Amino acid sequence: MSLSSNGRETPLLEIQNVKTHFRTKRGVVRAVDGVSLTLERGRTLGVVGESGSGKSILVRSIMGLLPMRNIVREGSVRFDGTELLHLSRNDMRDYWGKEMAIIFQDPMTALNPVMKVGKQITEGLIRSLGMSKSDAFANAEKLMADVGIPEPTRRLNEYPHQLSGGMRQRVMIAVALAAGPRLLFADEPTTALDVTVQAQILDLLAAQQRDRNMSMILVTHDLGVVAGRSDDIAVMYAGRIVEKAPTRSLFANMKMPYTEALLRSIPRLDQPSHTRLQSISGLPPNLLVQSVGCRFAARCPYAVERCRVEEPALVESDVPGHFYACHYPVGSIEWQNAQDRLTTSSVVAGGH
Amino acid sequence: MAGSGKAHLGGDDALLRVEDLVVEFPTNTKGHKVHAVTGISLDVRPGETLGLVGESGCGKSTTGRAILQLPQPTGGMVRFDGTDITKLDGEELRQVRTDMQMIFQDPISSLNPRRSVLDIVMEPLKIWNIGTPEEQLQKAKDVLRTVGIDADLVGDRKPSQFSGGQCQRICVARALVLDPKLIICDEPVSALDVSVQAQVLNLLEDLKAKYGLALIFIAHDLAVVKNISDRIVVMYLGKMCEVAKSDDLYARPMHPYTNALLRAIPVPDPTVRPNSENRIAGEIPSPVSPPSGCRFRTRCPAVTEVCAQDEPQLRAMGDGHFVACHHPIAV
């Protein structure tokens, strides 16, 4: 375990001002545009945002999984004190599997359809850990049991199409866990699954994380999924982090109108049926255009002139560790005034 | 759980009444069949939203399609607006179908990528030769405006130029253009982000109020179904478990399966720790050889011997609440 100069343990992952831009025919797409994050050992970070917010590109960029051509990656990605951003693909292979691994959303397309499950799990064991084939298979069987697959011996000899969606996701998890990574990325791991199976898979990830003392980055569009299962949450919008806080603080004291809107758009079981949901009007901004002002301003009900011209910086609130990027955060006097204006105007407009 | 019965059906005022619906598909193995839907009965009153909820493979989509006779059900009766449509032949059925429309899960693949949005929405009017071309164009523009798409600005664009949420709005417009009485929505928001999902759910509520539509809303997420439905039918492996008004179903679920479904939904509140009690283990069994008796018994926490022998029938538990279970959860 490495220590930094001031004697504190270095965080497992520390990324600073990471940018990932794609050069396309139509111009530069700023998919990730200056993201900084820290993740301690054994902790879970939830990364939340809509489609196109850059959350998946961020995790692929951290892992170095993106193609090399026509992509600009800048900033710093330090894993256990070592800078990874400029490592070649070949050098990154030492990290994949053993140090960090990823679970994707769709297990059918992420698994090789013409390779038996057993081979897909043992591949990493043989390659990264140098195990013999028979040791690897014995290990794979144990892994399959760990991730809750009944009859692991038989299943090792099956192809992905012979398994259900939930079972395939369990296999994906076994593949990811095989070489004992210290950091696990889960990119929408349950979005393609039924709620009952989603709950099983999230339970499984939590248990495995505890047993192995792994850190985890859980990427999702659903605040409900991360609420009970993360230590910290970072909310992304249009390639940037707009709010970042310990999970409880985030929910108790939302600062960013975007986070608030995301939460209110979730249908809740404790509300009576036909409760009108608060949707976020409009669309996320075009990432081809260099933005001016707050990126959420065009969809924010509280936005005023300043929001459209001046981009808010990510600042710390009075709760330590709770950061937000908003000129007029939820609860501020200006926000209250905007709220009053909205209420008045909607009464005039016929209470729509 | 997972039983049959018709106790929950209302009077003759229903717009749609389905009795003992059975849908079976052949398999490659001789003598084996996929029992996708086995004895579903339900009714939808005019202007009502009926939710159908259950895991993948419970037969909820098949039920929705079989109501439209896509494919023709193996057995049972589907009475729509007074006519048993299982008895209709091609042309009569085509006529009836104008009153019943469908919206699918993946909005992008259910729109023709090579045609403009206006063309797509006008197509049903052209097929039925309703109005002059000018009237058809006007009607299509009006309907698109109702769903929040300005046809004057973007009517000649192709589906690929729209987001998923906008494509779903276009699908809704296409379903609305013939002024149907019933729209069957098959997982219409499952492929959408939560923020966009809220837009589409709100839109469906607005349209229902505006046009007096009846909806069958099929989804696996009980929170979504509860938000939009008046009544909910919980399905498991081709059978019905529980039928109740939406708020009742949440307040006092009687079926262990309903309870498990409710408990599996993540709560957007960090002070509520995920609780793995009440979790049902395993996955839905194969519909080729469903369990005897109650079909849920292999995963049920309350299972006893009787569950393997007798199939539970739906019985009334008061106030429009029906449950098919030998050991319903006490209130």
Side-chain angles (χ1 to χ4, degrees):
Chain A
M1 206 160 280
S2 47
L3 300 176
S4 66
S5 52
N6 60 10
R8 291 226 331 262
E9 196 184 302
T10 51
L12 184 65
L13 180 74
E14 194 170 20
I15 69 171
Q16 247 157 30
N17 202 23
V18 166
K19 293 186 180 175
T20 308
H21 294 178
F22 295 83
R23 281 193 292 258
T24 69
K25 280 185 198 147
R26 290 185 298 153
V28 175
V29 177
R30 297 172 174 79
V32 177
D33 208 14
V35 168
S36 303
L37 284 173
T38 308
L39 181 62
E40 306 287 345
R41 289 176 175 75
R43 310 263 293 179
T44 302
L45 171 73
V47 176
V48 181
E50 288 172 279
S51 308
S53 61
K55 53 193 194 304
S56 292
I57 298 297
L58 176 68
V59 301
R60 283 165 178 73
S61 193
I62 295 173
M63 278 193 84
L65 289 177
L66 295 167
M68 294 290 181
R69 292 184 66 189
N70 291 323
I71 288 187
V72 183
R73 283 165 79 214
E74 284 172 20
S76 157
V77 175
R78 297 181 79 82
F79 182 82
D80 204 9
T82 314
E83 177 63 48
L84 297 187
L85 196 75
H86 303 295
L87 288 189
S88 69
R89 199 156 258 265
N90 227 358
D91 292 334
M92 279 308 293
R93 281 187 205 282
D94 293 339
Y95 286 86
W96 294 337
K98 256 194 298 193
E99 302 288 352
M100 46 175 85
I102 184 165
I103 303 163
F104 297 101
Q105 172 174 348
D106 181 355
M108 193 62 218
T109 52
L111 293 171
N112 186 339
V114 293
M115 198 193 268
K116 283 179 182 169
V117 165
K119 181 138 192 236
Q120 304 197 44
I121 299 177
T122 51
E123 225 182 4
L125 292 168
I126 295 168
R127 188 179 183 126
S128 312
L129 302 183
M131 278 188 195
S132 71
K133 209 173 158 190
S134 57
D135 283 354
F137 268 90
N139 241 294
E141 213 174 302
K142 186 176 170 302
L143 274 164
M144 297 272 277
D146 282 353
V147 298
I149 296 178
E151 301 176 75
T153 324
R154 182 168 68 87
R155 294 295 189 183
L156 280 173
N157 272 313
E158 289 189 342
Y159 291 96
H161 75 265
Q162 294 171 283
L163 306 173
S164 70
M167 283 301 156
R168 277 182 219 138
Q169 196 56 294
R170 287 173 195 271
V171 170
M172 272 290 292
I173 294 172
V175 172
L177 295 178
R182 288 193 280 167
L183 173 58
L184 182 68
F185 295 93
D187 187 3
E188 304 261 14
T190 58
T191 309
L193 306 174
D194 273 325
V195 276
T196 44
V197 182
Q198 161 169 295
Q200 294 171 4
I201 296 287
L202 292 172
D203 287 347
L204 168 67
L205 283 173
Q208 289 296 321
Q209 183 190 16
R210 214 175 31 242
D211 294 352
R212 294 161 184 265
N213 194 27
M214 277 188 312
S215 303
M216 183 157 80
I217 293 187
L218 181 58
V219 177
T220 172
H221 68 273
D222 187 349
L223 267 172
V225 167
V226 284
R229 302 184 183 269
S230 62
D231 302 300
D232 301 278
I233 290 180
V235 180
M236 280 189 78
Y237 188 76
R240 307 204 77 162
I241 288 181
V242 292
E243 186 159 9
K244 181 168 72 175
T247 303
R248 283 187 181 229
S249 173
L250 185 91
F251 278 87
N253 200 4
M254 287 192 173
K255 293 289 185 192
M256 180 65 197
Y258 177 63
T259 317
E260 190 196 33
L262 267 187
L263 182 65
R264 291 212 185 145
S265 61
I266 303 175
R268 296 186 63 135
L269 278 170
D270 48 12
Q271 287 166 342
S273 66
H274 304 299
T275 300
R276 196 154 182 93
L277 301 167
Q278 186 184 317
S279 62
I280 310 176
S281 60
L283 296 173
N286 183 348
L287 298 174
L288 282 163
V289 184
Q290 182 103 51
S291 69
V292 188
C294 172
R295 291 166 196 227
F296 185 56
R299 303 169 75 191
C300 180
Y302 315 119
V304 294
E305 194 48 34
R306 184 179 169 206
C307 305
R308 295 186 189 93
V309 293
E310 187 188 327
E311 179 156 17
L314 196 65
V315 294
E316 193 161 9
S317 76
D318 38 12
V319 180
H322 192 146
F323 294 85
Y324 63 92
C326 181
H327 293 306
Y328 306 115
V330 174
S332 67
I333 294 166
E334 292 85 351
W335 173 84
Q336 191 59 52
N337 291 343
Q339 181 100 333
D340 293 345
R341 267 202 318 279
L342 282 174
T343 328
T344 333
S345 63
S346 70
V347 170
V348 174
H352 186 65
Chain B
M1 8 296 220
S4 315
K6 282 179 275 196
H8 59 297
L9 295 182
D12 282 341
D13 59 334
L15 174 66
L16 174 78
R17 188 180 170 103
V18 176
E19 284 180 29
D20 303 318
L21 190 74
V22 177
V23 184
E24 288 165 353
F25 299 108
T27 64
N28 286 334
T29 324
K30 228 180 154 190
H32 287 269
K33 280 183 292 197
V34 177
H35 302 269
V37 175
T38 316
I40 295 284
S41 303
L42 52 86
D43 57 356
V44 184
R45 291 155 208 153
E48 184 186 42
T49 302
L50 182 76
L52 279 187
V53 70
E55 289 168 284
S56 308
C58 74
K60 55 193 193 300
S61 293
T62 308
T63 302
R65 285 165 191 243
I67 289 170
L68 286 172
Q69 313 295 304
L70 291 168
Q72 282 234 329
T74 316
M77 181 206 76
V78 179
R79 200 172 69 211
F80 180 75
D81 222 4
T83 321
D84 182 357
I85 60 174
T86 55
K87 304 267 192 307
L88 298 182
D89 62 13
E91 182 53 30
E92 288 169 314
L93 186 59
R94 222 167 71 84
Q95 300 276 354
V96 172
R97 280 212 189 108
T98 60
D99 280 335
M100 315 159 90
Q101 295 289 320
M102 188 142 186
I103 302 169
F104 299 94
Q105 173 169 359
D106 182 355
I108 294 163
S109 66
S110 53
L111 296 172
N112 186 332
R114 302 202 176 273
R115 305 191 59 190
S116 79
V117 164
L118 261 177
D119 261 356
I120 289 171
V121 177
M122 265 161 55
E123 179 82 3
L125 296 171
K126 286 184 181 158
I127 290 171
W128 287 99
N129 223 348
I130 298 170
T132 64
E134 292 75 35
E135 284 166 352
Q136 290 174 356
L137 183 67
Q138 195 51 48
K139 171 89 186 181
K141 283 184 176 179
D142 289 346
V143 174
L144 279 166
R145 188 167 307 115
T146 336
V147 301
I149 288 178
D150 187 343
D152 291 324
L153 283 178
V154 297
D156 54 359
R157 293 199 186 162
K158 306 274 158 57
S160 60
Q161 292 170 280
F162 293 88
S163 69
Q166 286 170 325
C167 284
Q168 198 56 291
R169 287 164 184 273
I170 294 163
C171 291
V172 173
R174 177 177 58 183
L176 276 177
V177 78
L178 288 175
D179 298 317
K181 293 176 182 155
L182 173 73
I183 299 185
I184 297 176
C185 311
D186 188 4
E187 301 261 14
V189 296
S190 310
L192 307 175
D193 267 342
V194 272
S195 55
V196 182
Q197 165 179 301
Q199 290 175 13
V200 173
L201 290 174
N202 286 343
L203 173 70
L204 287 172
E205 290 273 27
D206 291 343
L207 295 174
K208 200 181 99 174
K210 189 169 171 186
Y211 298 102
L213 288 168
L215 300 179
I216 293 182
F217 192 95
I218 300 169
H220 69 271
D221 184 341
L222 198 44
V224 169
V225 175
K226 178 186 179 230
N227 181 272
I228 196 162
S229 308
D230 301 303
R231 267 190 317 146
I232 298 177
V233 177
V234 180
M235 287 182 65
Y236 186 81
L237 205 58
K239 296 266 185 185
M240 294 171 295
C241 295
E242 189 163 2
V243 183
K245 290 183 203 143
S246 315
D247 290 325
D248 276 356
L249 192 76
Y250 168 68
R252 38 181 200 130
M254 292 181 182
H255 206 286
Y257 180 60
T258 313
N259 194 41
L261 274 185
L262 284 168
R263 301 291 161 251
I265 294 171
V267 184
D269 181 349
T271 57
V272 181
R273 299 309 294 185
N275 176 4
S276 46
E277 285 168 47
N278 290 318
R279 205 69 101 221
I280 43 169
E283 291 172 31
I284 204 160
S286 162
V288 176
S289 49
S292 65
C294 169
R295 290 192 176 179
F296 183 57
R297 68 180 167 84
T298 54
R299 296 167 80 192
C300 184
V303 64
T304 60
E305 250 170 57
V306 66
C307 304
Q309 289 145 18
D310 297 332
E311 185 189 338
Q313 298 291 307
L314 268 184
R315 53 194 162 114
M317 306 298 281
D319 197 25
H321 204 133
F322 299 85
V323 64
C325 178
H326 294 302
H327 313 292
I329 298 168
V331 186

